[in-house]
Amino acid sequence: RMNSVTKSFVALAVGCLIYEGRLSLSDKVIDFFPEASNFKVNENQANLTVENLLTMRTGYRPVGNGHWVRDRKYNRIKTFFEREPVEERGESFYYDSAGSYILGVIVERLTGKPFIEYLKDKFLIDIGFSANATCIFGAEGYSWSDSGLLCTAEDLYRTAKFLKNGGKHNGKSYISEDFIKNAVKCQVDTSGSAEYKSYGYGYQIWKASYDGFMFLGMGAQIMICIPSRDRYI
């Protein structure tokens, strides 16, 4: 299990949908959740965009006092929309796993399939990713898209190579090169976060030294790519 490395793959699924013209960074998150009309949604939440979620600039601190999968009583969608912000969206970085889960829900509502299956169809199988890779499902029937991906270390290597090559494999483009550049670029400063100091954050992807980028999972699942110093991929 890859824990929060999962978030980076969800971002790539978002990038594929943008490449297809089915989603945009400026889309409001609430527009994909008609059930939110029954929730107590504040103005900040109503105006959140896909890009706010990708960069974890939602204005919300982490929420939840239980385990989203083991304790199956939780409604993560409702909890997400009824949170109270600590500041306006688009400002500071707050590590927000709930936002990553919501991005996964958007992907699965648009594609009608688990996000990892969508990615397999789009490019993962073509780059040699494990065909039996999967993701744990949460209580609401959607993938646990902030933490539940199961794949191998070699799969991370192949994905790093794909990103280093700008979303291309064997000369074929699978995703916008501009999206990839922005995904691995520092979009928000993380130095003000007591728990998550680093070189910055892109689209659900961490920055590394020497202008590199990283996938990070809480159980030491790590992929680090430093293109300027790489000789092998």
Side-chain angles (χ1 to χ4, degrees), residues 69-84:
V69 173
R70 184 184 63 238
D71 304 333
R72 302 186 68 84
K73 62 184 179 180
Y74 290 103
N75 183 330
R76 292 193 78 182
I77 295 173
K78 185 175 188 292
T79 301
F80 174 84
F81 278 104
E82 292 191 343
R83 297 184 297 176
E84 288 298 323

Side-chain angles (χ1 to χ4, degrees), residues 17-146:
L17 284 169
I18 291 173
Y19 195 50
E20 294 177 352
R22 301 166 68 185
L23 189 64
S24 75
L25 294 174
S26 60
D27 283 346
K28 289 187 177 181
V29 173
I30 200 168
D31 290 343
F32 300 96
F33 295 88
E35 67 269 38
S37 61
N38 298 315
F39 304 154
K40 298 176 182 178
V41 180
N42 56 61
E43 183 178 358
N44 187 77
Q45 197 67 286
N47 289 315
L48 278 179
T49 66
V50 169
E51 186 173 25
N52 292 150
L53 268 60
L54 283 172
T55 57
M56 294 202 180
R57 290 182 293 182
T58 61
Y60 296 88
R61 296 188 186 277
V63 297
N65 58 357
H67 193 286
W68 295 117
V69 173
R70 184 184 63 238
D71 304 333
R72 302 186 68 84
K73 62 184 179 180
Y74 290 103
N75 183 330
R76 292 193 78 182
I77 295 173
K78 185 175 188 292
T79 301
F80 174 84
F81 278 104
E82 292 191 343
R83 297 184 297 176
E84 288 298 323
V86 294
E87 64 178 44
E88 289 188 15
R89 66 186 181 90
E91 296 185 3
S92 304
F93 172 89
Y94 291 104
Y95 196 74
D96 189 0
S97 288
S100 303
Y101 172 75
I102 291 296
L103 282 175
V105 174
I106 291 172
V107 170
E108 297 187 357
R109 288 188 173 188
L110 287 175
T111 64
K113 61 183 67 174
F115 81 89
I116 194 63
E117 298 303 321
Y118 170 66
L119 283 176
K120 286 180 189 178
D121 292 344
K122 296 305 297 182
F123 70 86
L124 289 184
I125 296 301
D126 286 357
I127 69 173
F129 206 90
S130 298
N132 63 346
T134 189
C135 188
I136 301 167
F137 285 92
E140 294 168 299
Y142 297 102
S143 299
W144 195 12
S145 49
D146 53 325

